[in-house]
Amino acid sequence: MKRVLSGIKPSGDLNIGGYSGALQQYIKMQEEYESFFFIPDLHAITVPQDPKELRHRSKEIAAFYIAAGVNPKKSAVFLQSQVAAHAELGWLMETQVHFGELSRMTQFKDKSEGKDSVSSALFTYPALMAADILLYQATHVPVGEDQKQHVELTRDLATRFNNRFGETFVVPEPIIEETGCRIMSLDDPTKKMSKSNPNKSSYILMLDDAATIRKKFSRAVTDSEMSVRYDPENKPAVSNLLEVYSVFSGEEIPVIEKRYEGQGYGGFKKELAEVVIAKLEPIQKTFHEIIDSEELLTILKDGAERAAAIADETVRKAKTAMGILTF
Ligand code: ATP
Ligand code: LTN
């Protein structure tokens, strides 16, 4: 049986990078896999969060899942904090991961750089992420390129645990789509599109309105060559826009290149904005309909129950294997 688990942190406004690298894959994968899509709120608090905002954002991510097409009848949708086994196995995994391994994680280096103090949970973050995945015996984990290192570490930990304590965990595979796994900033194609960029025109948010999206794409940097061609090395900015176009239109990049052959960037950027708006508008409409609904809370409650049934069994198995007295 194939199982998928993945999640998007409720730590800020969701941008189209998260949609491209993660969410759109969830929709496709739920057709073929037994699916678990959760909201890693315990990961969000590894950096300071305003409590009121965190509550709201946690609902927002759940609403984005549903609005984008995650079907709660097929997939379990739940909050990480509602399934206690995450914190429990997270601790057990901390006992297995090495300090040196955690020190090599680039996300930790990026997020701690220049800060006077960071939480120890930011450092041990990958142990909890490994627990998230291993609890469900997930075979596949769809993520953006930036999470590859964490999934690789999860594989190492699962293998180490199995060798030391006996076969307990499935060793998961990351799923990283070739197109759209790393959407870059609109103002600088060497940086990942991220909400932490102080330039608001550098990213498109899932909730941006049509006028804002048009304005942001019109300002996106390109190059002086004036040809719509995919060449990430020499034309990183235009190649990034082509990837966005491809993800949001569902068309292959060569088809798009052909359409704009011999034309400059003006028309291409305008139409790119329309392609993104056409995809986002229906998602935004459903999002606003469900964000404050009872239905959303029912989905989360039901999802947590389904998730806990599996997670509790795995954590029990892991504890027994390690010699924790269980009775
Ligand atoms: P932060 O920048 O605060 O670390 P994030 O956007 O990387 O947040 P999440 O919101 O949890 O973190 O990301 C959800 C998923 O989206 C992850 O699988 C991540 O790899 C993917 N993702 C995030 N940004 C991008 C991007 N620019 N391009 C492609 N995928 C992305
Ligand atoms: N670390 C991820 C979020 C995350 C995750 C997971 C993704 C936490 N646990 C388990 C996939 C599977 C991030 O920062 N985007």
Side-chain angles (χ1 to χ4, degrees), residues 38-282:
F38 77 124
I39 296 124
D41 49 357
L42 300 178
H43 275 112
I45 56 170
T46 56
V47 297
Q49 301 290 342
D50 173 67
K52 196 163 155 251
E53 267 202 11
L54 178 64
R55 266 191 291 274
H56 182 68
R57 289 192 192 286
S58 298
K59 282 206 294 179
E60 275 194 350
I61 297 294
F64 276 126
Y65 287 178
I66 307 299
V70 170
N71 178 351
K73 292 205 174 79
K74 284 193 183 140
S75 312
V77 174
F78 60 98
L79 294 170
Q80 185 183 30
S81 58
Q82 296 247 301
V83 180
H86 286 257
E88 197 174 359
L89 187 63
W91 177 257
L92 301 182
M93 296 321 290
E94 276 191 48
T95 68
Q96 300 305 306
V97 69
H98 303 156
F99 187 89
E101 287 172 318
L102 293 174
S103 308
R104 285 193 287 276
M105 293 294 119
T106 56
Q107 180 169 298
F108 175 73
K109 287 188 210 165
D110 292 346
K111 298 218 170 208
S112 58
E113 201 181 283
K115 301 237 166 71
D116 286 341
S117 65
V118 292
S119 74
S120 53
L122 186 66
F123 186 67
T124 58
Y125 179 120
L128 181 59
M129 180 157 163
D132 299 338
I133 297 167
L134 302 178
L135 274 176
Y136 300 93
Q137 309 288 11
T139 52
H140 294 90
V141 185
V143 282
E145 173 70 29
D146 59 331
Q147 294 303 310
K148 189 171 176 204
Q149 197 185 25
H150 288 158
V151 183
E152 295 294 344
L153 179 61
T154 302
R155 288 171 58 82
D156 292 346
L157 290 176
T159 309
R160 181 178 306 156
F161 192 103
N162 289 346
N163 287 341
R164 182 153 181 216
F165 299 111
E167 209 56 33
T168 307
F169 298 123
V170 167
V171 181
E173 296 277 346
I175 300 232
I176 299 168
E177 291 261 311
E178 216 176 293
T179 304
C181 71
R182 192 168 167 80
I183 297 295
M184 308 309 275
S185 198
L186 298 181
D187 65 344
D188 178 355
T190 64
K191 285 199 253 153
K192 179 184 106 153
M193 182 179 282
S194 160
K195 67 245 170 192
S196 38
N197 189 322
N199 175 7
K200 290 197 166 65
S201 288
S202 70
Y203 50 75
I204 308 274
L205 297 178
M206 290 296 285
L207 290 180
D208 274 349
D209 61 25
T212 308
I213 295 174
R214 289 189 187 109
K215 196 165 70 197
K216 287 181 176 176
F217 277 121
S218 74
R219 287 184 186 157
V221 297
T222 46
D223 54 43
S224 54
E225 195 199 55
M226 296 305 278
S227 80
V228 180
R229 196 163 51 77
Y230 189 73
D231 178 355
E233 210 152 281
N234 301 305
K235 291 169 70 66
V238 173
S239 301
N240 184 46
L241 297 181
L242 270 165
E243 289 207 25
V244 175
Y245 198 122
S246 171
V247 167
F248 280 81
S249 67
E251 294 174 306
E252 300 287 333
I253 288 176
V255 175
I256 306 164
E257 283 178 321
K258 190 119 194 79
R259 181 172 314 138
Y260 294 99
E261 208 173 285
Q263 300 178 37
Y265 296 139
F268 167 67
K269 280 174 151 191
K270 268 204 183 110
E271 283 166 36
L272 167 60
E274 298 314 314
V275 162
V276 172
I277 291 165
K279 190 81 182 181
L280 291 187
E281 268 181 354

